[in-house]
Amino acid sequence: MKRLQIKYKALIGLLLFYLPFHLFLSPTYWDDASYARILGEYGNDLFQYTLDRYLSWSSRITIELALPFLTTWPAALWKILNLFMIALLYLDLVWILERIFDLREKKTYLLTAVLLCAFPFSIMAQTGWIATTTNYLWVLALGLYAVSRMLGVGVYGERLSKWEIFGAALSVLYSASFESMAAILFLVEIGILVYSVKGGKKCPLVVWICMGFTALFLLYILACPGNRLRPVRDAEYWMPEYFELTFLDKLRMGILSSYMHFVSLPSPVFFIFNLVLFLMWRGESVGKRLIAALPMLTDVAWTCWFMINYLLGWRTLTYQTPVPLPEQWADRAEQGLLFLTVVIWFAVALYTVFARTRKGWASAAVLLLACIPEVAVGLTPTVIASILRTMIYLYMALILLAVMMMEDGEENRSVFARRFLWFCMGMGVVLNACQIARHILIYG
C-alpha cells in the first residue's frame, strides 16, 4: 500500500510540474494554425480531406482526422488530454519497470517521475504543440499502453477487464497509424505469438485483435500514394541533396543527427545515462572503467566543442544537424569523429545494459527498439526537421535503462555518487523548465 501511494504521489508531482506550463502555452502557430484552417478549406468534407491527404501526403489517417478538431476546439481540451497522456506515459514506463525489470522500490517511481521532468519537453512543440504531441507523445503513450496490456496477458498471465481490452484496441487504432509505432507493435505482437506457440498456449484474444488492426495499418501505410509522393516534396524543401545520397549516407544522417541533438545543447537525461554507465563499472579494473567513462567524457567534450563553435560565431545556439554531403575537410573530419563516438557509445551502452544488469536481453531489446524510429526518419529527406521530435523514443528508453541501472548498482555507489546523480537530475529539471518557458515566451 505504501509503494502504491508513492507511485501515485510521484505521478501527481509530475503533473504539477507540467500543469503551469500547460496553462500558459498557446497551441496556435505553425502546423497547429494550418490544421485549424484545413477543414474550412474543404468545406468540412471529412471524406475528401482524408482522401486527399492519403493520395498526396500521409497515411496517418487516425492522427490526421483528430488534428483538425483538436486545433479548432477550445485549447483547454487538448491541454487536459495532453496531461493525461503524460500521466499515461509515466504509468507505461512504471509498468515496464515493475513487470519486465522487477523494480518496485520507492526510488523506481521517484526516479521515473524526476527524469520525465528533466526530459526536454520543448521538442514536443517543434511543429506546434498540438501537431507534435499528437504525432509523437500520444502515439508513444498509447502504443506503450497497448504493448503493456498485450505483454501482461500474453507473457505475465494477467487478466484483463473488458475495458482494458477495449482500451488496448483503441490505443492500437490510434498509435498504429504512425509508421514507426506500427512496426514496433507488429514486432511485439509477433513476439508474443511465438512465445505463446512455444509455450503450448493459446495466443490471447486481445493480441489477435491488436495484431489484426496493426496488419491493416501496415498494409494501408505500404499502399499509401502520399507516402511515396511526400519525400519528393520534402526533399525539395528540406534537403535538395537527398537524391544524391546513398543508403549509407542516409543512415549517417539519421545516426549523426540523433547524437548531435544530445550534445549540441546539454542533454541532462543523456548525461545522466552516460554517468550511470560509468558508475555501473565501479570496482572493476582501471581499463574497464576508462572504457565505461568514454560515453560520458565524449558527451562533455562534444558539448564543449559546439559551445566553442557558438562563441566563435561558427554555429547558432540550437540543435545541430550534419552536412548532407560534406565536401570541406573540416566537416568530414567532424562527422568521422562523431560517427566513431556514436559507435563507441553504442558499444559501451549495449554491452553494459546486456552484461551488467539483471535483465540483459530485455534491456538490450529496449535500446534497440527505441532506435527504430531514428533509423527510419534518417532514411527520409525530413531527417533535419523531424529527428528532434523523433528523439522521444530514445529518450524514454534512456530513462527506463537509467532508472534500472541506478537501482541495480545502488549498493556499489558512494554517498557522493548518489548525491551527484540527484544533483544532475535536479539541474535537468531546472534546465527543462527554462527551455519550456523560453519556448512559450518566444513562440507561444
Side-chain angles (χ1 to χ4, degrees):
M1 181 61 72
K2 188 175 181 181
R3 280 203 307 265
L4 189 66
Q5 291 174 347
I6 294 169
K7 175 179 177 178
Y8 291 106
K9 283 181 180 178
L11 173 58
I12 292 170
L14 173 67
L15 292 177
L16 287 176
F17 172 79
Y18 280 108
L19 176 61
F21 300 112
H22 279 71
L23 292 176
F24 292 103
L25 62 84
S26 176
T28 56
Y29 59 91
W30 297 338
D31 283 5
D32 292 351
S34 299
Y35 278 105
R37 297 190 302 266
I38 201 163
L39 270 188
E41 295 170 359
Y42 279 91
N44 295 321
D45 188 339
L46 272 177
F47 176 79
Q48 191 60 48
Y49 157 73
T50 305
L51 180 62
D52 283 357
R53 299 293 285 185
Y54 175 75
L55 293 174
S56 63
W57 191 251
S58 172
S59 59
R60 300 174 189 174
I61 179 171
T62 316
I63 303 168
E64 291 278 335
L65 283 172
L67 275 166
F69 296 101
L70 289 171
T71 51
T72 51
W73 289 345
L77 175 63
W78 167 80
K79 292 179 181 183
I80 293 169
L81 289 172
N82 203 55
L83 287 169
F84 171 80
M85 292 298 173
I86 293 172
L88 181 61
L89 184 58
Y90 164 83
L91 293 173
D92 291 336
L93 298 182
V94 163
W95 186 94
I96 293 171
L97 290 165
E98 288 177 340
R99 296 295 189 204
I100 298 178
F101 296 116
D102 297 323
L103 297 174
R104 295 177 177 84
E105 300 299 322
K106 175 182 176 181
K107 297 187 295 293
T108 305
Y109 311 115
L110 293 177
L111 289 169
T112 306
V114 171
L115 286 173
L116 279 173
C117 289
F119 162 67
F121 193 73
S122 55
I123 67 174
M124 290 292 98
Q126 193 191 10
T127 60
W129 287 106
I130 296 179
T132 312
T133 53
T134 52
N135 273 278
Y136 294 89
L137 174 62
W138 292 24
V139 165
L140 184 57
L142 291 170
L144 287 180
Y145 176 78
V147 167
S148 69
R149 297 308 92 183
M150 289 189 287
L151 286 176
V153 70
V155 177
Y156 296 98
E158 297 178 356
R159 297 190 66 177
L160 301 184
S161 67
K162 292 181 179 178
W163 285 110
E164 286 178 303
I165 295 173
F166 181 68
L170 281 182
S171 295
V172 171
L173 279 173
Y174 185 89
S175 58
S177 180
F178 195 95
E179 303 86 356
S180 298
M181 183 53 74
I184 292 172
L185 284 168
F186 196 66
L187 287 174
V188 171
E189 290 154 359
I190 292 296
I192 296 172
L193 178 61
V194 171
Y195 178 85
S196 299
V197 171
K198 282 192 173 182
K201 300 182 296 183
K202 288 184 177 180
C203 187
L205 176 63
V206 65
V207 178
W208 285 113
I209 293 172
C210 292
M211 188 184 297
F213 286 148
T214 307
L216 287 174
F217 273 110
L218 284 172
L219 291 173
Y220 187 80
I221 289 165
L222 292 171
C224 177
N227 286 343
R228 293 188 291 274
L229 294 174
R230 185 177 178 181
V232 178
R233 297 182 186 178
D234 284 340
E236 292 174 356
Y237 186 81
W238 293 107
M239 194 192 302
E241 310 95 335
Y242 177 74
F243 295 107
E244 299 178 47
L245 302 180
T246 65
F247 178 77
L248 291 178
D249 286 330
K250 294 170 186 176
L251 279 179
R252 168 180 56 84
M253 288 295 294
I255 292 169
L256 296 189
S257 295
S258 300
Y259 188 78
M260 289 173 76
H261 160 69
F262 282 137
V263 298
S264 59
L265 286 175
S267 173
V269 173
F270 187 63
F271 176 77
I272 290 163
F273 178 82
N274 292 333
L275 176 60
V276 178
L277 285 179
F278 170 67
L279 295 175
M280 286 297 289
W281 292 89
R282 188 171 185 265
E284 297 290 339
S285 66
V286 175
K288 288 183 178 179
R289 298 213 69 201
L290 285 174
I291 293 172
L294 286 174
M296 179 178 60
L297 296 175
T298 50
D299 176 13
V300 175
W302 279 112
T303 299
C304 291
W305 167 250
F306 284 113
M307 183 59 67
I308 292 169
N309 274 244
Y310 165 69
L311 293 174
L312 294 177
W314 297 344
R315 280 185 167 96
T316 56
L317 187 59
T318 182
Y319 77 100
Q320 304 295 324
T321 55
V323 177
L325 290 171
E327 296 180 357
Q328 298 183 5
W329 71 267
D331 289 330
R332 291 181 177 179
E334 183 183 74
Q335 291 194 25
L337 288 172
L338 276 166
F339 193 83
L340 178 62
T341 303
V342 174
V343 171
I344 293 170
W345 178 86
F346 201 81
V348 173
L350 194 60
Y351 182 75
T352 302
V353 299
F354 180 75
R356 302 285 293 185
T357 60
R358 68 181 77 183
K359 294 290 183 84
W361 283 106
S363 303
V366 167
L367 185 58
L368 292 171
L369 282 173
C371 292
I372 290 176
E374 282 74 22
V375 172
V377 78
L379 300 178
T380 70
T382 59
V383 58
I384 292 175
S386 300
I387 197 68
L388 187 62
R389 49 193 181 265
T390 309
M391 294 299 293
I392 188 173
Y393 290 87
L394 195 47
Y395 266 116
M396 294 306 116
L398 296 182
I399 288 173
L400 282 172
L401 298 177
V403 172
M404 179 199 55
M405 290 190 294
M406 278 191 267
E407 295 210 34
D408 268 6
E410 179 72 16
E411 67 279 359
N412 295 325
R413 287 191 202 108
S414 64
V415 174
F416 172 78
R418 291 195 293 269
R419 289 179 177 174
F420 185 64
L421 276 170
W422 279 103
F423 172 78
C424 291
M425 287 188 285
M427 290 298 97
V429 174
V430 172
L431 179 60
N432 181 33
C434 292
Q435 288 175 336
I436 299 173
R438 174 185 175 276
H439 192 97
I440 293 172
L441 288 171
I442 295 176
Y443 302 109

